[in-house]
Amino acid sequence: MRIWRFTCFSLLFGVFLLSVPELTGSAELKIAVEFGTTIRINTSAGKTPQCKVCIRPNTQQLCQSSVVLRSDTLLDFSCSQPENVFTVQIIRDNVIYNIEPKEHKALQKFNRTFIWNLKPPATKSLHLNFSRTGLRQIQPTDSCPDVYMLAVENVSIGRFCQNGTIRQVDVRNAGKLSLEVSGGRALDKKFIGVSLGRLINSLANFHVVLPEKSSTQDFFAPNAFPENAETMWYFTVPQTYYTDVHILSYTVPTCLQPENIPTMKYTWQGKEPLVKLMNVSQPSVEPGNFNLSIKNCKMSGPQPPSQGLMVHFQITAIKRSKGQCEGDLPEKQVLQIHVKKKDPKSACVLKLDSVRMDTITIASGNHFVLNSFDCNKDEVELTVSQTIECKEWRDCASTSFPLTFNYEQQCIPGVLKTIIWLLHGPQNSAVELQSPAGDLRYCPPEDKCNSIILLNVSHVNPGITLGQFCPKGTIQKIQIRESKIAITASVTSFNDRNLATKPVLTYSFTQDISEHYIFTVAPKMDNPTVLATPAWPSGMKASSTVSWIVNLEPQFKSNLKFRNVSQPKCKEVHTNIAVQTIRSQTTLYSTKKDEKMKDLLVPESFYLNMTNCKSPTGAFRAMMEITLQNGTSKLLGIILSIVGVVLVIVTAVGIWFVLRKKKRNKAPPVSVYNPDDAEKEEYKEATTDESDAPLSAPALPVRNAENLVTKSNALLDNELCGYVQGQSTTSGSPKTSEEEGNYETRLCV
């Protein structure tokens, strides 16, 4: 137990000795003081002055809490570690020449401050050259091993550390430069050049040389900025480097005259000064050296420091590759070119006439200077708008014009992504569109175009979209009852700008048409044709009409399928969907209210008409699909039937010739002499029913010829034979009428 008590007492006593080193002994220091130098040794702030410093003269020792030394002196401290209690200031007055900091080895353990009081002549300023150290400004609350502080006219200009970009500081009137060095740290004896220069108007001028690498530097306006005072920064920027200025925080005082509110004033060589308020974007991506000045106003009254002028800003310098495009857009083309960054966060920078923008608009008739920095081609998109106007019919009636864009400003960076043509025709005209490179295909918004170009047709006012279309389809013509429309060509893969010079569509202005929209369609066998009402998937405008003229080749018929139909509720007349053939003018289908749509097989070219009601509740929209079917099977049956009949007739004629030849060989034709009138009357009565025989001649009896032909031949004779009536005469001499006899011969075929 006694051992434990002794150990605890020893530990407590040791801790007490460490906490109050001034009570554990004494220290003796011999201090050498140069001429013109003053050394002040003071008790550190917050320390209890229990340790004394004593000046030991030859006869009497004087002890106190602080001392001022101007010559060599021997000091005694009443504690063994006075560096924990005292701080040291080493002061030089009236400095107008070069500064060479000198260490006092006896005081190296102390926290010490080297102070140089600057006193230029009244008509001069002092230039402090820090090219060997380089300073960087820090916030008033920040610190580093060796801190430089600069004050002018009792105003703190700033706190600085070594190894920065500030190479020189000019000060006017009386000032003070100080260097704080931590205890135990050796003094960095870097030379500071001092020279006299012309008198300046500002409190201080900072000369900054930015490094040849990407960098960001912080700068601060002086604390407690005096009224009407000014501070200047001179920035030297390396070649091919561009600077950005960003204000991170600021406060401005209440000025006696509000129009004199503090501003940032920039000056580049050969340019007019640029003045910016604190609350707006500052210059960006600027090349070359420049000056920046901040000037305070005359304040309306005493204000606390927190409400005075304070500015914290950054200067960023980046090496950039630059592209420049300068020119004029022809006024006659009525063009607008929009240049836009795809990603606002990318390193690419666009500037129009020295103003940084993420989207730039260049208009016809204006001179422009467009600069781009670190911009790859695919980082920038171009949208081109061209207005084509025709006010008088005599200038454009019924004439087709190609839609092309003559891109002359090849130096503008980026990928041409969208071209917009705004067509303005004469009043009450219609627009007719066709594709010179082949028919168009309707492309619903949910489908992919699978082409490098997608066309969107819409009304200029009120911006209603007619639909999207792709190349290589079945729509031959689009007619719109509107004098102002917009055609947007969106390019999905535009590696060749020359594509823009090829006609995308042809347009013409025509007289007013009967429907709001008319599509002329020629379906093909390879793929179904998809059609949809204007503005799909939105509904048609109230009371609007649309018509599709569907042309079929004679050998085809079509299957019309209604894939998706949405009917609104109408107050009065209902919507109408009608299908009518073109050649025969037959109505194949006409909708009735709430009737379910059915697929149709249409045998020829036809019209498909739709009309929305006047005040619909809900959307009227429809999507259709047309599929062709080969109609040659029916025609082939007709042709084969005709061929079959012809073959039967040819065969019958052949058989007749064969049989006729046989009859001539076996039973030659018989000429029958007419009996006297009595026999003739009997014959007439017997043959009254045969008066309808061919050639309507009265028939004469003939011999039975069944012994000459077979029974089947007799049947054939009865089916294919007729009679020819004539007269027989005696050969060699004419006969009288009584002697002449009538005869008939059976003719078989």
Side-chain angles (χ1 to χ4, degrees):
M1 179 65 70
R2 291 178 181 177
I3 296 174
W4 181 84
R5 287 179 179 176
F6 177 77
T7 304
C8 290
F9 174 77
S10 299
L11 290 173
L12 292 173
F13 182 71
V15 170
F16 174 75
L17 290 178
L18 291 173
S19 62
V20 286
E22 62 275 12
L23 302 178
T24 63
S26 62
E28 181 181 288
L29 294 177
K30 186 175 182 180
I31 308 299
V33 182
E34 291 182 337
F35 176 77
T37 300
T38 301
I39 297 178
R40 296 179 181 271
I41 301 177
N42 301 309
T43 303
S44 300
K47 295 288 185 178
T48 304
Q50 295 177 339
C51 181
K52 301 293 184 178
V53 56
C54 306
I55 299 176
R56 188 164 55 177
N58 294 333
T59 58
Q60 185 179 0
Q61 184 171 356
L62 178 63
C63 296
Q64 51 194 13
S65 60
S66 62
V67 295
V68 177
L69 308 178
R70 291 184 173 85
S71 60
D72 296 351
T73 306
L74 182 62
L75 296 179
D76 283 336
F77 294 91
S78 62
C79 56
S80 61
Q81 296 178 324
E83 65 271 13
N84 293 336
V85 180
F86 295 94
T87 60
V88 176
Q89 290 181 336
I90 303 170
I91 305 168
R92 291 210 51 171
D93 293 323
N94 301 323
V95 175
I96 59 174
Y97 301 109
N98 296 338
I99 297 173
E100 298 183 32
K102 291 185 179 180
E103 182 67 280
H104 292 73
K105 291 186 178 181
L107 301 173
Q108 189 167 347
K109 290 184 179 181
F110 290 82
N111 290 336
R112 54 212 189 275
T113 302
F114 296 85
I115 300 173
W116 296 273
N117 289 319
L118 311 172
K119 185 75 173 173
T123 58
K124 298 288 184 179
S125 63
L126 280 181
H127 298 172
L128 306 178
N129 190 327
F130 295 95
S131 58
R132 295 189 181 183
T133 58
L135 299 182
R136 61 180 178 88
Q137 194 169 8
I138 60 175
Q139 297 204 57
T141 55
D142 291 346
S143 184
C144 55
D146 295 335
V147 179
Y148 289 87
M149 294 177 291
L150 183 62
V152 177
E153 299 175 0
N154 297 322
V155 177
S156 175
I157 299 300
R159 290 166 59 87
F160 308 88
C161 299
Q162 293 188 15
N163 302 319
T165 58
I166 299 174
R167 294 293 187 263
Q168 179 178 311
V169 181
D170 305 331
V171 296
R172 74 176 186 188
N173 299 333
K176 181 172 70 174
L177 174 65
S178 60
L179 171 61
E180 294 180 348
V181 182
S182 303
R185 179 179 174 84
L187 173 66
D188 190 347
K189 301 177 182 180
K190 290 184 177 178
F191 175 86
I192 300 173
V194 179
S195 61
L196 295 174
R198 63 179 180 82
L199 186 64
I200 61 175
N201 295 323
S202 56
L203 275 177
N205 294 344
F206 294 91
H207 298 264
V208 182
V209 178
L210 299 179
E212 292 190 8
K213 63 179 181 180
S214 296
S215 63
T216 299
Q217 315 293 330
D218 288 87
F219 300 93
F220 304 86
N223 285 338
F225 213 127
E227 290 183 323
N228 294 324
E230 182 181 26
T231 303
M232 295 279 298
W233 287 264
Y234 295 84
F235 294 96
T236 300
V237 182
Q239 291 288 332
T240 71
Y241 280 75
Y242 296 83
T243 52
D244 301 336
V245 182
H246 301 280
I247 295 180
L248 302 184
S249 61
Y250 73 95
T251 59
V252 292
T254 302
C255 299
L256 188 62
Q257 296 177 324
E259 64 271 15
N260 293 332
I261 187 171
T263 58
M264 308 279 281
K265 183 179 179 181
Y266 302 89
T267 305
W268 283 268
Q269 185 175 2
K271 295 183 179 180
E272 291 294 324
L274 176 65
V275 178
K276 292 276 191 176
L277 294 173
M278 305 285 181
N279 60 347
V280 300
S281 298
Q282 302 301 306
S284 178
V285 195
E286 291 290 345
N289 306 334
F290 68 100
N291 306 336
L292 168 61
S293 68
I294 300 177
K295 186 176 182 179
N296 202 1
C297 64
K298 184 173 180 59
M299 293 179 281
S300 59
Q303 299 182 20
S306 61
Q307 296 180 8
L309 176 60
M310 185 280 296
V311 185
H312 175 195
F313 65 93
Q314 281 184 342
I315 301 292
T316 300
I318 301 176
K319 186 175 183 179
R320 296 182 181 274
S321 60
K322 178 185 176 183
Q324 187 177 70
C325 184
E326 182 175 0
D328 301 89
L329 288 183
E331 187 172 2
K332 62 180 181 180
Q333 290 188 2
V334 196
L335 287 175
Q336 277 193 339
I337 300 179
H338 305 276
V339 186
K340 180 182 179 180
K341 285 175 56 177
K342 292 174 64 176
D343 182 7
K345 297 180 180 179
S346 71
C348 170
V349 175
L350 299 174
K351 297 184 72 175
L352 179 64
D353 299 330
S354 300
V355 180
R356 181 173 181 171
M357 305 177 186
D358 285 341
T359 301
I360 289 174
T361 300
I362 304 170
S364 289
N366 295 330
H367 182 80
F368 67 91
V369 178
L370 173 62
N371 291 315
S372 60
F373 304 89
D374 297 341
C375 295
N376 295 324
K377 182 178 178 181
D378 56 357
E379 289 184 291
V380 181
E381 292 182 348
L382 302 182
T383 298
V384 179
S385 299
Q386 183 174 11
T387 301
I388 302 173
E389 188 172 19
C390 183
K391 296 181 179 180
E392 302 295 335
W393 276 109
R394 63 176 178 268
D395 298 328
C396 55
S398 302
T399 303
S400 294
F401 301 94
L403 278 182
T404 59
F405 170 58
N406 296 323
Y407 188 80
E408 297 176 353
Q409 298 297 335
Q410 296 289 341
C411 62
I412 296 180
V415 176
L416 185 56
K417 197 69 176 177
T418 305
I419 307 175
I420 302 173
W421 292 278
L422 303 174
L423 305 182
H424 295 177
Q427 190 174 4
N428 299 325
S429 63
V431 178
E432 184 176 293
L433 302 176
Q434 290 180 286
S435 175
D439 298 338
L440 298 174
R441 177 175 67 86
Y442 173 72
C443 181
E446 63 272 13
D447 288 357
K448 290 185 178 181
C449 186
N450 295 325
S451 176
I452 63 173
I453 191 167
L454 175 67
L455 299 174
N456 184 291
V457 181
S458 62
H459 295 263
V460 174
N461 294 312
I464 299 174
T465 298
L466 171 60
Q468 296 184 146
F469 304 91
C470 301
K472 299 180 180 179
T474 59
I475 300 175
Q476 298 176 324
K477 185 190 303 182
I478 301 174
Q479 295 169 272
I480 307 165
R481 194 169 73 186
E482 175 63 60
S483 60
K484 294 183 179 180
I485 67 167
I487 301 171
T488 302
S490 301
V491 184
T492 57
S493 177
F494 217 149
N495 295 323
D496 184 8
R497 282 187 174 180
N498 292 327
L499 184 60
T501 64
K502 299 178 181 178
V504 178
L505 290 174
T506 60
Y507 71 94
S508 59
F509 297 108
T510 63
Q511 297 291 340
D512 199 3
I513 57 177
S514 58
E515 314 293 338
H516 287 92
Y517 310 98
I518 299 176
F519 298 86
T520 302
V521 185
K524 300 176 183 178
M525 278 293 294
D526 50 357
N527 287 309
T529 296
V530 176
L531 304 175
T533 50
W536 176 274
S538 300
M540 289 177 60
K541 189 178 179 181
S543 302
S544 62
T545 59
V546 59
S547 179
W548 289 270
I549 303 173
V550 183
N551 293 320
L552 305 180
E553 295 292 336
Q555 68 271 26
F556 294 123
K557 57 185 176 181
S558 64
N559 183 20
L560 175 60
K561 180 179 181 181
F562 294 91
R563 285 171 42 177
N564 191 335
V565 179
S566 174
Q567 293 276 16
K569 293 182 179 179
C570 301
K571 292 182 180 180
E572 298 176 359
V573 180
H574 200 261
T575 60
N576 182 48
I577 301 176
V579 179
Q580 184 184 46
T581 60
I582 294 177
R583 183 175 58 82
S584 59
Q585 294 291 304
T586 302
T587 299
L588 301 180
Y589 185 81
S590 182
T591 56
K592 297 179 181 179
K593 185 176 180 181
D594 300 328
E595 182 180 359
K596 186 177 180 181
M597 305 295 296
K598 297 180 180 179
D599 296 349
L600 293 176
L601 185 61
V602 186
E604 60 175 275
S605 300
F606 63 94
Y607 301 110
L608 172 59
N609 302 322
M610 295 189 185
T611 304
N612 197 4
C613 57
K614 185 175 182 180
S615 301
T617 301
F620 177 48
R621 61 177 182 263
M623 179 175 286
M624 294 72 62
E625 182 178 282
I626 298 175
T627 306
L628 290 188
Q629 294 183 7
N630 199 326
T632 58
S633 57
K634 181 177 179 181
L635 181 61
L636 181 61
I638 296 173
I639 293 174
L640 290 177
S641 299
I642 295 174
V643 171
V645 172
V646 172
L647 288 176
V648 169
I649 294 174
V650 171
T651 303
V653 171
I655 294 174
W656 175 78
F657 277 111
V658 172
L659 293 178
R660 183 64 176 168
K661 188 174 182 180
K662 289 182 178 180
K663 287 182 179 180
R664 286 178 177 175
N665 293 333
K666 296 181 180 181
V670 178
S671 178
V672 181
Y673 178 80
N674 268 342
D676 20 289
D677 293 337
E679 292 179 355
K680 186 176 180 180
E681 290 295 331
E682 288 181 4
Y683 178 76
K684 286 182 179 180
E685 293 177 3
T687 59
T688 302
D689 294 336
E690 296 179 6
S691 60
D692 294 332
L695 302 178
S696 67
L700 297 177
V702 295
R703 294 181 182 178
N704 190 349
E706 288 185 1
N707 60 330
L708 301 177
V709 293
T710 62
K711 186 176 182 180
S712 61
N713 287 340
L715 275 176
L716 184 59
D717 290 347
N718 291 334
E719 293 176 0
L720 299 179
C721 296
Y723 295 86
V724 177
Q725 184 177 348
Q727 290 182 339
S728 82
T729 60
T730 303
S731 178
S733 62
K735 298 290 183 182
T736 62
S737 59
E738 290 85 0
E739 295 176 327
E740 292 176 350
N742 295 330
Y743 70 92
E744 65 177 359
T745 301
R746 185 171 64 168
L747 176 64
C748 299
V749 296

